[in-house]
Amino acid sequence: MPLKEKLLKISEFLYLLLIFLIPVNLGKHFEIIDSYVGGVLVDYLVPTIFVQDILAALIIFFWVLSGGLGKLFDKKSDFFDRKYVQYSSLFIFSLLLSTLSSIRFVPSICAWVRVLLYFLIFIYSLTEIPIEDYFFKILDIFSVSVLFLGILGIAQFLTKGSVFDNYLVFGEQPYSAATYGVPAESFFGERVVPAYGLFRHPNIFGGYLSITLVWLFSFLKSRKFYLLPFLLGAVALLFTFSKISWAVFLFGIILHLIFSKEPRKIEIKKKQAVSVACIVIVISLLIPLLFFSGSGGSSTKNVLLYKRVPADKSISRRLNLAVASYRMAMDNFLFGVGFNNSTVLIDKYNYESTDLRFSQPVHNIFLLLFSEGGIFSLILFCCFIWQCLKKLVNSGYFHVYLIAFLQIILLGCFDHYFITIHQTLLLFWITLGLGLQ
């Protein structure tokens, strides 16, 4: 076997290993001065090298050595003629521009390098992983991953805390009911702690499961051994107590059932599903504007609007963050405050919050990109999303990737982790890399 083929085989093996290790949270953290805001450590600002980052870098390294990158620039190649490639490349470049003008450069450039690295994995997936050959191999890997996470999540729920109680074991963060910041839930009258899996928050764990479980559900009839991972994963999803993840999971199941019937009308139904997702995006962006009061925090209008904020603390926090992000974006319209820098200033713009400190990114990926990357990043990202949807609607490969992408969009309207958390960021790019072929 020629050397270039061997190198490509190594990269393919590492790619499959990377997919299996997507949920792992193991990495080396570097706490620096820029990681602190007002004397408080903000974990989003801590530069970290994760296991997935190393694997992704090795995949790209062996791919480049095998001559894979040269194929993209071949005169016969139409790779750069694809609209979603053009918009995604410009989007990555726009984030670099915002990074260069960021307030905290080191946390910003570290986050951008990770996005670039995972974007290259997206390119690699498009060009080197033929979906016809790898689809079920990749799905089998996800089934094993979900099986492990399902068992872990159930065990965490029963023990009311982490199982290994050691960050070095797969990156499971040690926690219990007594840990500060861990939410307590009521389950049949008993106080319980949600399952975290290997993620930093139950919502992220729930989001990951809501997508991968639909993949397994779609092929339960033909691959019976998916049943156990699916059942255990579904129970773990329940124990995350992530309501939006439950809703998006059911949304995915319903879409699969709809798409599986009446094949003649499937294209119309796909377009209807895309329309619903677009409406949700618009609504999620418009609702905070009803509470928006400009840059002044002491206006009568601002006080009156604050009284209309829902009493539920989770909803009011998310709404306050959204309004604060609009203010931040208006003051930094072109290039934002810098990629991965919104937590530095969010408290300054969050006038309505009753929390002493709540330095979190806005729970909406579109608003997050608007405030951190500016109007150019937002427009390019929306164009990229639109081109992906157009391509996936016309793709006939099992329709699972269209459903997964719609789930990602809906989850992204209510949380930020598909941009800010390495596991789900990687899932985002790999899903598109496989689905857009």
Side-chain angles (χ1 to χ4, degrees):
M1 182 183 295
L3 178 59
K4 288 187 176 181
E5 288 187 21
K6 289 182 179 179
L7 294 172
L8 190 58
K9 286 293 183 182
I10 293 174
S11 71
E12 290 173 358
F13 170 77
L14 293 175
Y15 180 82
L16 297 177
L17 179 61
L18 176 65
I19 289 177
F20 178 69
L21 295 178
I22 285 177
V24 170
N25 190 37
L26 191 60
K28 173 62 177 176
H29 298 70
F30 300 90
E31 293 183 13
I32 58 176
I33 294 177
D34 282 352
S35 302
Y36 289 82
V37 179
V40 178
L41 180 67
V42 178
D43 55 353
Y44 298 99
L45 300 175
V46 178
T48 308
I49 300 176
F50 291 102
V51 170
Q52 294 92 328
D53 301 340
I54 297 172
L55 279 174
L58 288 173
I59 291 168
I60 302 305
F61 174 73
F62 286 114
W63 179 49
V64 171
L65 287 183
S66 70
L69 197 60
K71 299 175 186 176
L72 305 182
F73 297 94
D74 189 280
K75 292 181 180 179
K76 298 180 181 179
S77 174
D78 64 343
F79 183 77
F80 290 105
D81 294 332
R82 306 176 194 179
K83 293 291 185 182
Y84 55 83
V85 172
Q86 295 172 0
Y87 282 119
S88 59
S89 301
L90 290 172
F91 166 66
I92 299 298
F93 179 70
S94 73
L95 290 182
L96 176 61
L97 294 179
S98 74
T99 295
L100 296 176
S101 60
S102 61
I103 304 168
R104 304 281 179 92
F105 179 73
V106 175
S108 184
I109 192 65
C110 290
W112 182 81
V113 169
R114 176 173 295 113
V115 171
L116 174 64
L117 194 58
Y118 292 178
F119 171 70
L120 293 175
I121 292 296
F122 162 70
I123 300 297
Y124 176 85
S125 304
L126 280 173
T127 57
E128 300 295 347
I129 306 296
I131 191 63
E132 294 83 1
D133 299 332
Y134 281 85
F135 182 82
F136 283 109
K137 186 180 294 186
I138 290 172
L139 200 56
D140 290 348
I141 292 173
F142 273 115
S143 72
V144 176
S145 176
V146 170
L147 176 65
F148 170 74
L149 289 172
I151 296 172
L152 178 63
I154 294 171
Q156 288 173 340
F157 175 78
L158 294 176
T159 58
K160 296 185 178 181
S162 54
V163 174
F164 299 107
D165 203 33
N166 189 334
Y167 178 78
L168 294 177
V169 182
F170 304 111
E172 184 202 32
Q173 60 181 15
Y175 74 97
S176 67
T179 304
Y180 176 77
V182 172
E185 301 285 346
S186 177
F187 189 70
F188 290 104
E190 183 181 352
R191 185 175 180 271
V192 296
V193 176
Y196 276 62
L198 298 177
F199 299 85
R200 285 161 58 179
H201 195 279
N203 286 345
I204 310 173
F205 186 23
Y208 179 87
L209 287 176
S210 68
I211 293 169
T212 53
L213 285 174
V214 174
W215 288 345
L216 300 184
F217 178 81
S218 301
F219 298 95
L220 282 179
K221 290 183 179 180
S222 59
R223 302 175 86 80
K224 303 294 184 183
F225 57 91
Y226 287 170
L227 181 60
L228 181 60
F230 175 78
L231 293 176
L232 292 175
V235 174
L237 174 60
L238 174 66
F239 290 158
T240 64
F241 294 94
S242 174
K243 297 179 181 62
I244 182 61
S245 298
W246 296 348
V248 170
F249 168 67
L250 291 176
F251 172 77
I253 295 293
I254 291 170
L255 278 190
H256 168 71
L257 295 176
I258 292 174
F259 291 166
S260 299
K261 297 179 181 179
E262 300 183 57
R264 295 179 183 178
K265 298 181 180 179
I266 189 170
E267 188 173 338
I268 297 174
K269 292 177 179 178
K270 285 182 178 181
K271 291 180 179 178
Q272 290 173 341
V274 168
S275 299
V276 170
C278 291
I279 290 171
V280 171
I281 293 173
V282 173
I283 291 175
S284 72
L285 294 175
L286 289 180
I287 286 179
L289 287 176
L290 299 176
F291 298 82
F292 184 67
S293 60
S295 298
S298 59
S299 67
T300 304
K301 180 183 178 184
N302 195 60
V303 175
L304 292 174
L305 288 174
Y306 175 61
K307 290 180 180 179
R308 287 158 50 188
V309 173
D312 184 273
K313 198 163 188 177
S314 176
I315 296 176
S316 63
R317 279 176 171 173
R318 290 167 184 258
L319 189 54
N320 288 337
L321 287 172
V323 174
S325 293
Y326 267 118
R327 295 189 184 114
M328 194 185 301
M330 291 300 104
D331 285 352
N332 304 271
F333 192 72
L334 294 180
F335 300 107
V337 297
F339 186 52
N340 192 36
N341 266 206
S342 63
T343 51
V344 178
L345 295 173
I346 195 69
D347 284 326
K348 173 184 174 183
Y349 288 94
N350 195 359
Y351 311 133
E352 293 85 4
S353 177
T354 57
D355 295 297
L356 181 62
R357 293 298 306 274
F358 195 66
S359 300
Q360 287 243 347
V362 59
H363 287 54
N364 182 296
I365 59 175
F366 299 95
L367 279 177
L368 180 65
L369 292 172
F370 189 19
S371 60
E372 292 190 344
I375 190 63
F376 297 117
S377 292
L378 176 62
I379 291 174
L380 289 169
F381 183 71
C382 288
C383 290
F384 170 54
I385 293 293
W386 179 246
Q387 292 298 326
C388 290
L389 288 172
K390 285 174 62 178
K391 171 69 175 178
L392 290 170
V393 163
N394 296 319
S395 175
Y397 202 81
F398 295 130
H399 65 249
V400 294
Y401 290 114
L402 172 61
I403 295 175
F405 191 49
L406 290 173
Q407 288 179 291
I408 289 173
I409 289 174
L410 294 180
L411 288 167
C413 288
F414 299 96
D415 223 315
H416 55 76
Y417 51 77
F418 281 104
I419 298 294
T420 58
I421 303 299
H422 70 287
Q423 298 128 306
T424 37
L425 175 66
L426 183 58
L427 181 65
F428 170 82
W429 286 111
I430 285 180
T431 299
L432 285 179
L434 297 173
L436 292 173
Q437 295 183 29

